Amino acid sequence: MLQASLAHSRAVHGHHGNRGASVEAAFRQFLSVHAPRQLSVGTGEVVDSFGARSGQIDVVIANEDQPFISAVDEPGLYLVEGVAAAGEVKSRLTTGELDRAIAAGIRFKGLQNTHSAGDEAFASPVDLQRFYECPPFFVVAMESNVNEGTILERLHNAGVTSHRIPRNLPPGERSYALVPPVDAVFILGVGAAIFFVDGSSMALQYPDGSRVAEWVFVHTEDAVLIEFLAWLHGVMPRVRRRSPVSMNYMLGENRFTTISQWAAPQPTQPQ
């Protein structure tokens, strides 16, 4: 169906921008049908409570904690605590498009999840560091002009999001490991480039039993979408929250945070 959508968009849309939008919409529709029922699919920007912003993202997968839900093809605004995963969709992957996707991932991975008292996350310690502080970020391409060696090289050389500095921690301390800006790239009819980390619940072993800890290209050909859905299901952490995520965005430093502050008389502000 996605390949048919690509062929249709090529026949109807001569402009590359219109063609890309058509393919993005088709993929969101596909994902909205096959994603777990508690998730919703959309597009738009993601923000965190510290003021960081992701920029426009092709696919945003929202969880049940998301207070803002838009129609599947209507750009919306999402709180990062209510996002399970996000990614970019490419009708044809080129080196330029891959670089743009990496840049989008860097900006997205700069967002930070705010933890509230009583929150529970269910994942391995490594996966909590990789995917709970900021959700996973993927790229899906209908076709590719880039060979797998170049894809792996560019993803490896993209480095880590070292600019993401945890708030409210003593100098020199970190609450999580540095992570790559893109966690996986899936190409229809070809396969997937996936970043494996020792200690993750999604692990890969060498013949000698040692764990893979690097970028690997996995050839799945006709099963790429199944591989994508399985990967997505495996990397999205399960989170149980005790309070609405929107409260972190309302209670700034100048707002009441205790009953005593609320009860205390407030000076009249000049108009």
Side-chain angles (χ1 to χ4, degrees), residues 69-270:
I69 300 296
S70 300
V72 65
D73 293 324
E74 179 181 336
L77 183 69
Y78 299 84
L79 308 185
V80 69
E81 292 83 4
V83 173
E88 294 287 285
V89 178
K90 305 295 182 183
S91 57
R92 183 183 295 273
L93 188 68
T94 64
T95 54
E97 290 294 337
L98 180 58
D99 289 342
R100 280 186 280 275
I102 290 171
I106 289 173
R107 192 169 177 181
F108 177 77
K109 291 288 189 174
L111 302 173
Q112 293 191 45
N113 193 315
T114 297
H115 311 281
S116 298
D119 285 358
E120 295 178 298
F122 305 92
S124 71
V126 170
D127 290 339
L128 287 177
Q129 292 175 335
R130 291 184 64 195
F131 303 128
Y132 182 52
E133 301 295 343
C134 185
F137 192 82
F138 58 83
V139 177
V140 174
M142 305 300 113
E143 297 176 337
S144 177
N145 284 347
V146 190
N147 65 59
E148 62 184 67
T150 301
I151 292 174
L152 293 174
E153 179 182 4
R154 289 187 178 244
L155 290 171
H156 174 80
N157 290 338
V160 295
T161 54
S162 57
H163 64 285
R164 188 174 71 176
I165 302 173
R167 270 78 168 183
N168 304 320
L169 288 177
E173 291 190 16
R174 293 186 181 275
S175 62
Y176 46 79
L178 298 175
V179 296
V182 174
D183 297 295
V185 176
F186 297 86
I187 304 170
L188 264 63
V190 180
I194 301 175
F195 186 58
F196 288 95
V197 177
D198 190 14
S200 173
S201 59
M202 183 171 290
L204 189 66
Q205 291 185 341
Y206 290 111
D208 63 3
S210 60
R211 293 291 187 95
V212 175
E214 61 181 343
W215 280 99
V216 175
F217 200 96
V218 182
H219 291 273
T220 50
E221 285 84 24
D222 295 335
V224 173
L225 290 178
I226 295 175
E227 190 80 10
F228 167 73
L229 292 173
W231 174 86
L232 190 64
H233 193 262
V235 299
M236 292 187 297
R238 278 62 174 165
V239 182
R240 181 184 298 151
R241 296 184 181 276
R242 301 299 183 182
S243 59
V245 300
S246 58
M247 294 299 99
N248 295 317
Y249 295 78
M250 296 177 64
L251 300 177
E253 60 181 0
N254 295 321
R255 296 182 181 271
F256 300 127
T257 57
T258 67
I259 291 295
S260 60
Q261 286 179 318
W262 175 80
Q266 298 297 308
T268 301
Q269 297 294 328

Side-chain angles (χ1 to χ4, degrees), residues 45-70:
E45 293 188 77
V46 185
V47 299
D48 68 12
S49 60
F50 302 102
R53 205 176 187 102
S54 69
Q56 183 71 19
I57 297 177
D58 295 339
V59 178
V60 179
I61 303 174
N63 61 38
E64 56 193 358
D65 291 308
Q66 182 60 242
F68 309 129
I69 300 296
S70 300

